[in-house]
Amino acid sequence: MTTRPRSRADRLFTALLRALPSEFRGDHGREMEQVFRAQHHDVRTGGTAMTMLRLWLETLQDIVATAPREHFAILRQDVGYALRTLRGAPAFSIAAVVTLALGIGATTGLFTILNAFLFRPLPVSRPDELVSVATLDHHIELPHGLSYRDLEDYRQNNAAFSDLIGFEPTGPVLNADGGSERIAVELVTGNYFAVLGVPPALGRVIAPTEGRAAGDAPVMVLAYDYWRVRFAGDPAVIGKSVRVSGHPVTIVGVAAPTFDSTESLLKISAYLPISMSDIIDPPTTSEHSTLEARDQHGMRVLGRLRPGVSLDQARAAMAVKAAALARQYPDTNKDVSLLLVPETSARPEPSTGPWFRVAAGAFTLLAALLLAITSANIANMLLARAAARGREVAIRSAIGARRGRLVRQLLTEGVVLAAIGGGLALPIAWMITGGFVRGVGAFASEIPLRIDLGFDWRVLSAAAAVACASGVLAGLAPALYAFRADTNALLKTGGRTHAASVDRSVVRRTLIVGQVAVSLALLVIGGLFMKSLERARLLDLGFRQDHLLLADTQPAMNGYDGAQRLAFYRRVRGRVAAMPQVQSAAWISTPPFASDLSDAKVFVEGRPPVRVGDAPMSFLVRVSPEYFATATVAIVSGRAFTDRDDATHAQVMIVNQTLARQIWPGEDPIGRRARLAKDGPPVEVVGVVKDGKYIFVWETPRPMIFRPLDQEPPGSATLVVRTAGSPTDAAGEIRGEIRGADPDVLVTGMRSMTSHLDQGNAFIIFRMGAILSGFFGVMGLLLASVGLYGVIAYHVAQREHEIGVRVALGARPADIVRQVLARAVRLATVGAVVGMLLTAPVARLVGPLLLGVSPFDPQTYGSVALVLVAVAVAASLVPALRAVSVDPVECLRAE
Amino acid sequence: MPARDRDIQSFLPLTPAMLHTLLALADGDKHGYAILKEVSRRTAGTVRLGPGTLYALIKRALADGLIVETDDRPDPALDDERRKYYRLAARGRRVAVAEIERLESIVDLAHEKKLRPRTA
């Protein structure tokens, strides 16, 4: 054979050929080089520089056109082959696809939620400069908003912030073009749009000079989406007059399409200046104007840091300002301090921000754990399969398949698996986020929610990354195996045993033990929360929880004044109480375990005046006379309210035992008087009721004041109905009666007391804990049982020969089944023991969140461990039975 | 339609490059470069095959059984022994004929419609 020295042209052409698939190159590469060499030779001997250039250009074009076509052809062939192979091993394929779908789905779902709450920056300019400012004071355990007055003071000469904005969502009724509907509106300070850097898409936005005095700027800016949907994107809407809660307002603009408000949970439809607050939701007699009251902490506040100012510097600067205000206004600001955190840490609002942070941390940890379990499981199954396919790979390799080609093919198989799993994962992720949205939606009933958890590019790319990584991992295991495998040994033994199989089976068993342990930990934690929930349900909350229905209304949002509201409340109560299936009905301004109780200070008459700022703080609700009977709140002494306790008679109140004890220790409080505002009228105590729980089930007894609804009609109230039968059955008719009493007032929320407790502050933490840990625990258990099945099935397949021999020698089927099952039980038991050791420290951590159950409750640990072992037996039953069906004759013949 | 005809029909229409490749092999075995030069010459340079296109065609034609590799060497002394020679298979011949008949029927139709007058 003649060998010619390779010219530079040859080498260049060879380099070009690398664009082609290696298989194609292997089959035809040398010939192609020969052809090119001949072409090149012809042109060089008889052509010009021009024809040489043309040859190169044509060759380049030729290869560039051929390469993708050939790659695609191979890919199609590989995918086809992969699909056939997977169809050939349905048990493995289904297990792997289910594992991947669950793992990727849950991870994607969690990431979507985390993304919506924590990572997605606000759609404004320079969102990282925004800092949430919240009030911390001593009367409620959670950070909350600021008052407008305080905000205005903080804005003056602020060295840390270039400016601060305030906003407060509300849900008025909008009348436009003859239609009316309830919408979510953000009441904003005038500088809101300017500070955020949000331009109008149409018309103008609210100007910084607007909205400084009550009612001064009756203007409205529409959210872009709402403008598109409600007003069909009509530009003529600018200048149109509409009514908000019955008050005329002019639409002046539409906000930029990219801007979706500063809320992370609410879909805001329109923006109004904060000056409209008192107009659309007038304060009751004992409340002060939103623009005036310094102790009405309703505004969420964001500040934009000045360039170069750190969060700590801002904290220090604001602390100085808060202290100055406390000196200046000790009445209202004495104990007030501020909490400054990055905007993303205060979602969905400052009060729940810390809670969400913790929950998010738990979420992330669980997601990581789940992903780890998924990967372990897939690796496990593939290792087992790689060993099983060793023989196939060896044969194909022996008949001349190139190793590169084999690896490419196995990788394709892995990616095909991941693609199918990933495809199925999307609906799972969608279900998880959907469930979450429904959960949160029921939790926050104040304003109808439309939570936007849309998959954005981060979520999609995260899912794709997970899918691809699993695919490569999935393909790599058998591929590496194919490389390492000793072809001869594999052919000889029929792929049954390998020197390395001992190590691998240790790895596999360790993975299974780990999975079982983690599942146990999660299930135990879930069980502990479940038990706490059970205990919490039995707790004495101060009223009877069964057979109660709650219906929320907000007549103030229709622009009703005090007298109109009172008339509405009376009319509704009269109609509902007359229904045959209703035992009694009553109104309460805020039901127990809602998040927005009002508070009051108590100034006691006939007592040396307490130092200003030191007045005892209490929560306050307004109720109609029938409330105590309807909710069965026990009256300890004195009397309940009557219809005579109205505006024309003396101001009265009923207090709970804690308040009576705090203010009149050792005395009979009946007939005593106190003022509920510094300059308010004296209010006489006419009754004392038994203490109850009002915000959290684990709270220490708090003071509570009940006032007659008739003496101070609130803007919104909840109808509490005690029904004879199931409260939810009566819900439709009760809603109908409310509509019959006044078709304009909307029922904004309706639920039984049981679900109110489940979804509200009361039990939410136990439920979330139980649901989350339970969900992950069950997922983990599912995955572990799939893994266990794989390991046992593999074990049986490897021992088929040995089992056959033993059957031939007279072993009974029951013995063989027992032996296989014993193996599974052993693995599960080791996993359970490791799991218990793992659970103890975690359980101690969640201990403070539990109610009436020890973090080491033996019953919970024991029953979960039993379940695990039972599942292990179930998972290994199929392979165990297969072992029995081994035909000894077949086995011996194969020898 | 007999099964064999149906099989042949499934290859039609051929790309010009494939048809010319089959035609180039009609009068004798050739190696890759010879096919390439023959096609270029016969079509006066209108069908130009690069090495990539050519061997993609050969790969497909081999897989479909239209051509086969041959071990016969016209004269080993004259030729590089490493070159592979290709021969038109019976199936390839039938496919080429079917394609030409298909083209003829189109030409006939064009004549009938007086799109192009008959020259002979």
Side-chain angles (χ1 to χ4, degrees), chain A residues 128-134 146 154-164 301-323 337-343:
Chain A
D128 49 310
E129 290 176 358
L130 295 176
V131 170
S132 154
V133 182
L146 268 63
Y154 290 130
R155 286 183 63 199
Q156 303 304 316
N157 309 317
N158 198 312
F161 291 104
S162 60
D163 206 350
L164 296 124
V301 171
L302 290 179
R304 189 180 279 288
L305 286 175
R306 288 184 187 279
V309 175
S310 75
L311 188 55
D312 280 331
Q313 288 168 325
R315 282 185 180 129
M318 290 296 275
V320 171
K321 281 187 163 288
S337 60
L338 294 177
L339 176 71
L340 273 70
V341 293
E343 182 272 325

Side-chain angles (χ1 to χ4, degrees), chain A residues 461-485:
Chain A
S461 48
V466 173
C468 275
S470 334
V472 169
L473 182 82
L476 221 53
L480 285 176
Y481 208 88
F483 262 136
R484 285 229 218 102

